[in-house]
Amino acid sequence: MTVYSTTQARQQFSDLINQVKYEKKMIAIGRNNKKEVLMVPYPDVDGTDIPISDMNANSSSFAFLLDEPDLYSFTDLKKRYV
């Protein structure tokens, strides 16, 4: 994935939107060749609902949980709840 600088993105904004919308590309924008923002195509969903859970699952929104310890193991569970 190509990382566009903020200056490049500003100069080519219309072209970047067209790439995302029509070619279904994901575009990263950042500084110092480090990805900071991701442009993705708007999801094709019925109605006005946006799949927020899918967006969060594919982003780093909950990355902080990877550093959290596991509080419970399977042996800690007394009953299986479905």
Side-chain angles (χ1 to χ4, degrees):
M1 174 185 320
T2 305
V3 179
Y4 290 87
S5 70
T6 53
T7 303
Q8 290 172 317
R10 204 171 28 251
Q11 293 169 347
Q12 303 173 20
F13 194 65
S14 179
D15 182 50
L16 295 178
I17 289 176
N18 287 335
Q19 287 181 43
V20 171
K21 181 176 180 180
Y22 299 113
E23 298 173 27
K24 303 298 184 197
K25 288 185 177 180
M26 291 192 299
I27 305 282
I29 301 171
R31 296 181 187 105
N32 300 321
N33 209 28
K34 183 177 179 183
K35 300 171 188 167
E36 295 179 339
V37 175
L38 185 64
M39 293 175 61
V40 296
Y42 192 84
D44 294 328
V45 293
D46 295 335
T48 59
D49 295 335
I50 298 175
I52 297 297
S53 58
D54 292 339
M55 292 173 67
N56 285 331
N58 294 306
S59 72
S60 60
S61 299
F62 295 100
F64 67 94
L65 292 174
L66 295 174
D67 297 330
E68 294 292 318
D70 288 334
L71 298 177
Y72 301 102
S73 69
F74 285 113
T75 57
D76 293 330
L77 300 175
K78 303 241 184 232
K79 292 182 181 178
R80 181 178 177 146
Y81 294 98
V82 180

